[in-house]
Amino acid sequence: MVFEIKMDFTRKARYVAGGNTTEPPAEATYSSVVSRESVRIGFLIAALNDLEICAADVTNAYINADCREKIWTVAGPEFGATEQGSVMIIKKALYGLKSSGAAWRALFATTLTDLGYTSTKANPDVWIRAQVKPDGFEYYEMVLVYVDDIMVLSHEPKQTMDAIASLYRLKEGSVGEPKIYLGANISKYQLPDGRECWSMTGRDYVKNAVKNVETTLEKEGMKLRSKADRPMPSGYRPEVDVSNELAPDLVTRYQGLIGVLRWACELGRVDILTEVSMLSSHNAMPRVGHLEAVYHIFAYLKKHENSTLVFDDAIPFMDERRFKSVSWKDFYGDVQEAIPPNMPKPRGNKVKMTTFVDSDHAGNLATRRSQTGILIFLNKAPIVWFSKRQNTVETSTFGSEFVAMRVATEVIEGLRYKLRMFGIPIDGPTDVLCDNQSVVTNSSVPESTLSKKHNSICYHRVREACAAETIRIAKEDTSTNLADLFTKPLPTPQR
């Protein structure tokens, strides 16, 4: 008998098989799920193409599939006097078995294939099917699958959901517009101009997480700070903290709380991303000061729990005069963006991608590594946020900014590939905004030469992407560069 607290803090108890005692082959146990990035893209596309969303949970999903392992048990008294003591062969994928998740995914994949959906190469748990609205508008219906959580995007999602309901029992009350998905609160949001789009907030998740931390601290005669106007205390640097190492039980607590905060970031709490990234690097050997800093983040969340992520489908205005029109042919030949040869034909309205990128040169006081910050919008919807310490030590701001630009280029190319494999048309190159003029010049002016040869890989990687018209780069003032939030803890007014 197992008891579990799920990501959204709901409780579940199950009588399960002892999968820890079996050793099935790895290929029989792997089971993927839809990525959070793909979910955010789905909410944007629903508004962009004027689609409805219908979600549902499959009740006891695993036991719909056949067991992939050779499992047997001896019947107990609950089987009755005539069967007690008999050897029983397990036929269905019981919860607890290592292969059950993969067995269910394979079964449900067959169902979606029979319904005419195709698994996308960029994310196997995003399924698409060509569809046409009554007015002739062509688009792709989408089905997003996270184990037994299903979300259908279509102008008539009920048709697909009814087909699924005819084969599997859906949880009572779960069918309809999503209200909770993967722990996030989902709702429609009305913009000032009267348009409606989807929004996501981790409000309930954050409230429950804060409540759990407060309950734990109360038992120890402690409580969260009453004042916390920013996620990390002013002037605190976790990399130079020399307080005592945590005891083993507190190390486990620290790692668990970091996991909770990382999931809060996935649900849209981008305002704590940098601080959580900095503290995550100390998971292996956290100190007392690090745990106190984590408690400070929860105190901040308690005071700032209503943060909403809005997937606005409006196309942003961009002054074309900010970008130089140049010829790269003499430097990189007829280089072109790599277009997947097996991508589906684009359908639906186009999306415009805009990226903010920044770095904090030598921000880590212990190693002098820089922090890369990236924020990517599709139209006006934030889709990707990234904050990570760089792998190299750069001797100049120029070097750290170019490393950040190279990382951003690779993230952009990955996202463009994903959009194309989802059948979503992309409007031109990605606009990349950076606040370092030297990097902008070196990246956008063909005849600009590189003086720091050790940055040549980043230099040519970015320039070739510009030549292929994958990206185009322009200068953004530091005060309006949104990626600045993901490079270092900012003062409260600036935040």
Side-chain angles (χ1 to χ4, degrees), residues 360-364 367-372 388-396 399-404 406-407 454-455 457-458:
D360 177 30
H361 177 240
N364 188 293
T367 65
R368 285 305 179 184
R369 293 186 184 183
S370 307
Q371 189 87 0
T372 294
K388 189 176 181 180
R389 189 174 58 192
Q390 295 180 3
N391 293 326
T392 58
V393 180
E394 296 298 327
T395 58
S396 65
S400 65
E401 293 275 5
F402 234 127
V403 169
R406 188 262 306 165
V407 173
H454 67 282
N455 293 128
I457 292 177
C458 297

Side-chain angles (χ1 to χ4, degrees), residues 113-327:
T113 301
D114 292 343
L115 292 176
Y117 285 91
T118 302
S119 176
T120 60
K121 297 294 189 295
N123 190 332
D125 296 281
V126 174
W127 298 72
I128 61 174
R129 182 175 69 179
Q131 186 60 273
V132 181
K133 290 184 179 181
D135 61 2
F137 180 77
E138 297 182 343
Y139 72 100
Y140 286 105
E141 293 177 303
M142 300 177 72
V143 177
L144 282 60
V145 184
Y146 194 101
V147 190
D148 56 358
D149 290 334
I150 305 163
M151 198 158 65
V152 181
L153 286 68
S154 171
H155 77 285
E156 291 183 341
K158 195 172 184 303
Q159 289 185 356
T160 295
M161 198 60 77
D162 286 346
I164 294 173
S166 67
L167 300 172
Y168 308 102
R169 188 157 62 93
L170 303 182
K171 190 176 296 182
E172 187 177 350
S174 70
V175 182
E177 287 191 346
K179 294 181 174 57
I180 299 288
Y181 195 73
L182 306 185
N185 300 85
I186 308 297
S187 62
K188 287 187 175 178
Y189 187 93
Q190 186 165 16
L191 296 160
D193 60 5
R195 292 180 299 113
E196 269 194 346
C197 58
W198 289 93
S199 69
M200 172 188 293
T201 173
R203 182 184 62 251
D204 288 352
Y205 181 85
V206 167
K207 288 176 68 174
N208 286 323
V210 170
K211 183 179 178 181
N212 288 344
V213 171
E214 287 184 313
T215 301
T216 300
L217 292 179
E218 187 178 353
K219 294 177 182 177
E220 300 173 355
M222 303 166 61
K223 61 181 181 180
L224 295 176
R225 295 185 181 186
S226 57
K227 292 183 179 181
D229 59 353
R230 49 188 287 178
M232 195 170 284
S234 178
Y236 178 71
R237 303 297 304 207
E239 66 270 21
V240 294
D241 190 317
V242 292
S243 57
N244 293 331
E245 295 178 21
L246 292 175
D249 59 326
L250 291 180
V251 170
T252 302
R253 180 189 298 182
Y254 179 86
Q255 293 169 342
L257 293 178
I258 287 293
V260 170
L261 293 174
R262 286 174 65 87
W263 191 254
C265 293
E266 290 290 338
L267 301 185
R269 291 310 300 257
V270 298
D271 52 332
I272 63 172
L273 180 64
T274 304
E275 290 77 8
V276 173
S277 174
M278 294 170 68
L279 291 170
S280 294
S281 63
H282 299 279
N283 260 343
M285 194 180 72
R287 299 179 179 274
V288 172
H290 299 148
L291 183 58
E292 291 176 352
V294 166
Y295 289 150
H296 189 94
I297 294 179
F298 279 98
Y300 167 82
L301 291 175
K302 182 180 180 180
K303 299 294 182 182
H304 305 81
E305 62 183 28
N306 291 320
S307 176
T308 302
L309 200 69
V310 179
F311 301 103
D312 186 354
D313 62 310
I315 298 176
F317 169 76
M318 188 66 67
D319 189 345
E320 293 296 318
R321 293 173 297 179
R322 300 176 64 178
F323 301 95
K324 295 180 181 294
S325 179
V326 296
S327 173

